Amino acid sequence: MKTDIQIAQEASMLPIREVAAAYGIGEDDLELYGRYKAKLTDELWDQVKDRKDGKLVLVTAINPTPAGEGKTTTTVGLGQALAKLNKKAIIALREPSLGPCFGIKGGAAGGGYAQVVPMEDLNLHFTGDFHAITSANNLLAALLDNHIQQGNELGIDTRQILWKRCLDMNDRVLRNVVVGLGAKPDGVVREDHFVITVASEIMAILCLAKDMEDLKERLGRIIVAYNYAGEPVTAKDLQAVGSMAALLKDALKPNLIQTLEHTGAIVHGGPFANIAHGCNSVRATRTALKLADITVTEAGFGADLGAEKFFDIKCRMAGLKPDAVVLVATVRALKYNGGVPKTDLSQENLEALERGIVNLEKHIENLQKYGVPVVVTLNSFISDTEAEYALIKKFCEDRGCEFALSEVWAKGGEGGIALAKKVLETLESKESHFAPIYPDEMSLEEKIETVAREIYGADGVSFAPAAAKALKKAAQMGFGSLPVCMAKTQYSLSDDQNKLGRPTGFTIQVRDAYVSAGAGFVVVLTGAIMTMPGLPKKPAANDIDVDASGRITGLF
């Protein structure tokens, strides 16, 4: 069986000019990065901004398991299938992070015959967006420490510095560091921290900014520290906005590549879904809606994180109104939720399937609360049985959901025809009545309670003293109307990753909170969320190589 990278490298790509032309994009509206990738110019947006939006379809999933779900693969395959049905479709994805790529996940460009290409470029340096974000983040950190060294005119309290440096790599030893060691000219000694680039607030800001003016306003609002009087110190106070924006000038522009079947793919931004909002950029999605009749996009991790934040943060801020949701699951993942060990998932087990399907049930209920029609799809595996398919199909239809089997990994767009037809039927026959799950005027504590009870199924929320204090201060500072961005494990509906299926009788433990003023949300920390991951015992990096001809192997 061929690996994903072998399939991608054997693909025949079209020059990106030709892919763009299919969407009415001229060469003058492309900034080329070689033959197969390009950035879309600001002038293109000026040309298309007054067009009517196409339909917006979100792809999300059940809670991720070691068995795999295939959310990106489904997104790509659905886009290809819609094109096979002569629909003008485009997909909108996040960019992969180098950390997971070299860590445990491997590449993140889809899989099998439902991939975006050039796969190696996308998974590695791509067009340099993440490097620009890393540079802007660390420029702000350098300006902050330099200001303290040069007399500290703003009275920054070095015990209350919030801004962290970042790196797009899994490097656990940088989580907690001491800087400023050495002689007096080397800076003030203090504890510092690193986060992975996709957890940087600048990543979230870039993905939510509408244009350069909005980007600069958001950058200026970043709270980097507090002064001795307890007042916030911002990036604007440090006069850092202009230089940061200069570094982000090109990164702000969406990227265009293609799928294996030459469907257009706008790939831009990549905030974590368990610490940030987990969606591609607003600019990418809004542009896609103007270029095609149907835009297929995705949100990170399970629907309790990615979809909730897509609806309650991204759609709220950008004025987006999704028309349908595709909820991805696999027979294997549902059996895993039903208590079957990973080694036994290939055996038919209807009893375990019935136990584990409650995870899918909760996600269906959650998505329906937003007023958006739901289509459930199963990524097929060779070990699946007809009896298992029949059980899941009836389960979904009994709950008012359309159902379709997906074989896009093995067959590309052809394997997604059944899903594409169900999506088209849903778009034509069912109206979306989308609305966020809570209003802006609700208090931060009430917003947290709403998400915990309605989406996670918790009995309530327990606020640690630090969290209660932080939320009170956020409201006093004027941030009480912001949406909440829940930082929670992706593996469970609860804040305990070991509670699979549909846990009940639990309380969400909120240990702290902080304001991402530039992004425009309040981050709520539950459980032990890691903002700088570490590498596993056997990193994916160990299997990656490049030969004398420049051909990369082992990426996935």
Side-chain angles (χ1 to χ4, degrees):
M1 185 179 295
K2 293 179 181 178
T3 64
D4 290 346
I5 194 170
Q6 288 173 327
I7 293 170
Q9 288 174 339
E10 292 173 4
S12 176
M13 290 184 284
L14 290 178
I16 198 63
R17 295 183 182 90
E18 295 183 25
V19 176
Y23 297 93
I25 304 171
E27 192 168 334
D28 289 342
D29 295 316
L30 299 174
E31 294 179 3
L32 299 174
Y33 284 66
R35 296 188 67 196
Y36 304 114
K37 54 186 186 289
K39 280 190 170 290
L40 302 176
T41 65
D42 294 332
E43 289 74 23
L44 174 65
W45 173 251
D46 292 334
Q47 295 171 32
V48 304
K49 64 183 180 182
D50 294 327
R51 293 181 186 174
K52 182 181 177 181
D53 284 347
K55 298 289 187 180
L56 179 59
V57 177
L58 173 70
V59 178
T60 187
I62 63 172
N63 293 98
T65 71
E69 288 68 52
K71 186 163 67 293
T72 303
T73 301
T74 301
T75 303
V76 176
L78 175 57
Q80 293 179 155
L82 289 166
K84 281 189 172 294
L85 294 175
N86 297 315
K87 300 298 180 181
K88 191 176 183 181
I90 198 166
I91 63 175
L93 301 172
R94 293 179 297 166
E95 300 176 48
S97 166
L98 288 178
C101 180
F102 290 119
I104 196 167
K105 286 178 62 179
Y113 290 89
Q115 295 187 59
V116 285
V117 286
M119 183 259 222
E120 307 98 302
D121 292 13
L122 175 60
N123 280 305
L124 299 177
H125 300 289
F126 199 31
T127 57
D129 293 346
F130 283 22
H131 297 304
I133 291 166
T134 302
S135 298
N137 182 105
N138 294 340
L139 171 62
L140 180 55
L143 290 170
L144 171 62
D145 279 308
N146 184 64
H147 180 88
I148 295 169
Q149 172 72 9
Q150 302 294 348
N152 198 4
E153 182 181 339
L154 294 171
I156 294 169
D157 185 348
T158 55
R159 299 163 301 179
Q160 295 193 76
I161 291 177
L162 307 178
W163 193 249
K164 300 175 176 65
R165 288 166 164 79
C166 76
L167 185 72
D168 191 28
M169 193 59 60
N170 292 2
D171 195 347
R172 60 168 54 85
V173 302
L174 294 178
R175 290 172 188 160
N176 305 292
V177 298
V178 176
V179 297
L181 293 173
K184 186 176 180 179
D186 298 324
V188 175
V189 177
R190 67 175 181 87
E191 183 180 354
D192 200 3
H193 311 271
F194 275 76
V195 299
I196 193 167
T197 297
V198 287
S200 168
E201 186 178 350
I202 294 180
M203 175 65 81
I205 286 171
L206 183 95
C207 289
L208 291 170
K210 298 175 183 177
D211 49 34
M212 177 56 75
E213 182 180 0
D214 188 28
L215 176 75
K216 291 173 73 173
E217 288 180 1
R218 290 174 178 272
L219 291 174
R221 295 199 298 264
I222 293 172
I223 299 173
V224 298
Y226 290 96
N227 63 20
Y228 289 112
E231 301 163 335
V233 178
T234 66
K236 184 178 181 180
D237 295 329
L238 288 170
Q239 301 177 46
V241 174
S243 54
M244 292 165 68
L247 285 171
L248 297 169
K249 175 179 70 72
D250 293 325
L252 187 60
K253 299 171 184 174
N255 309 292
L256 179 67
I257 51 176
Q258 63 191 288
T259 72
L260 291 173
E261 298 177 11
H262 316 309
T263 303
I266 300 181
V267 185
H268 193 218
F272 260 11
N274 58 358
I275 195 71
H277 62 289
C279 311
N280 69 321
S281 76
V282 166
R283 283 171 64 97
T285 304
R286 292 177 72 197
T287 301
L289 288 168
K290 302 298 184 183
L291 295 175
D293 296 328
I294 302 173
T295 294
V296 184
T297 191
E298 69 170 7
F301 293 136
D304 55 318
L305 285 173
E308 186 271 316
K309 294 173 183 180
F310 178 85
F311 293 143
D312 288 320
I313 296 177
K314 181 176 178 177
C315 291
R316 184 193 305 266
M317 290 188 187
L320 299 173
K321 295 183 178 180
D323 297 284
V325 181
V326 174
L327 178 58
V328 182
T330 65
V331 171
R332 293 163 58 86
L334 293 174
K335 287 190 289 191
Y336 184 85
N337 269 284
V340 176
K342 187 178 178 181
T343 53
D344 299 334
L345 292 175
S346 296
Q347 301 171 18
E348 181 180 282
N349 191 329
L350 297 180
E351 293 79 12
L353 189 57
E354 289 179 341
R355 291 195 303 269
I357 206 169
V358 294
N359 185 266
L360 174 64
E361 178 183 44
K362 177 58 175 165
H363 287 296
I364 290 172
E365 292 175 7
N366 288 350
L367 294 170
Q368 290 174 335
K369 289 177 182 179
Y370 289 94
V372 184
V374 180
V375 178
V376 175
T377 188
L378 283 181
N379 265 338
S380 67
F381 281 74
I382 194 169
S383 60
D384 299 344
T385 69
E386 290 301 323
E388 290 171 329
Y389 288 154
L391 188 156
I392 297 170
K393 183 175 186 291
K394 183 177 187 304
F395 185 91
C396 295
E397 291 175 346
D398 286 348
R399 284 153 183 80
C401 288
E402 297 294 337
F403 174 85
L405 193 62
S406 171
E407 299 177 282
V408 297
W409 186 90
K411 301 178 181 178
E414 191 65 36
I417 295 295
L419 172 60
K421 287 182 176 178
K422 284 292 184 184
V423 169
L424 290 173
E425 289 173 12
T426 300
L427 292 174
E428 292 167 3
S429 64
K430 296 184 178 180
E431 188 175 349
S432 174
H433 300 283
F434 168 72
I437 205 164
Y438 56 77
D440 291 339
E441 58 270 18
M442 186 179 278
S443 73
L444 294 172
E445 290 84 357
E446 289 174 317
K447 290 170 184 172
I448 296 167
E449 287 261 4
T450 299
V451 174
R453 291 180 182 276
E454 296 293 327
I455 304 302
Y456 307 156
D459 290 341
V461 178
S462 175
F463 296 94
K469 182 179 178 181
L471 291 168
K472 182 179 179 181
K473 184 170 184 177
Q476 290 172 343
M477 292 167 60
F479 298 115
S481 63
L482 296 183
V484 292
C485 183
M486 303 292 288
K488 180 185 74 71
T489 179
Q490 63 268 33
Y491 299 113
S492 171
L493 285 159
S494 74
D495 53 2
D496 180 350
Q497 67 176 16
N498 297 312
K499 292 182 177 178
L500 303 181
R502 182 175 183 169
T504 57
F506 66 93
T507 299
I508 291 292
Q509 306 292 326
V510 175
R511 59 181 176 85
D512 208 348
Y514 62 87
V515 178
S516 286
F521 50 67
V522 176
V523 179
V524 180
L525 301 173
T526 72
I529 293 298
M530 197 69 66
T531 56
M532 171 52 83
L535 293 170
K537 188 170 184 178
K538 189 180 186 304
N542 291 354
D543 298 320
I544 297 172
D545 201 358
V546 57
D547 62 23
S549 67
R551 188 180 184 88
I552 294 172
T553 58
L555 192 56
F556 197 61

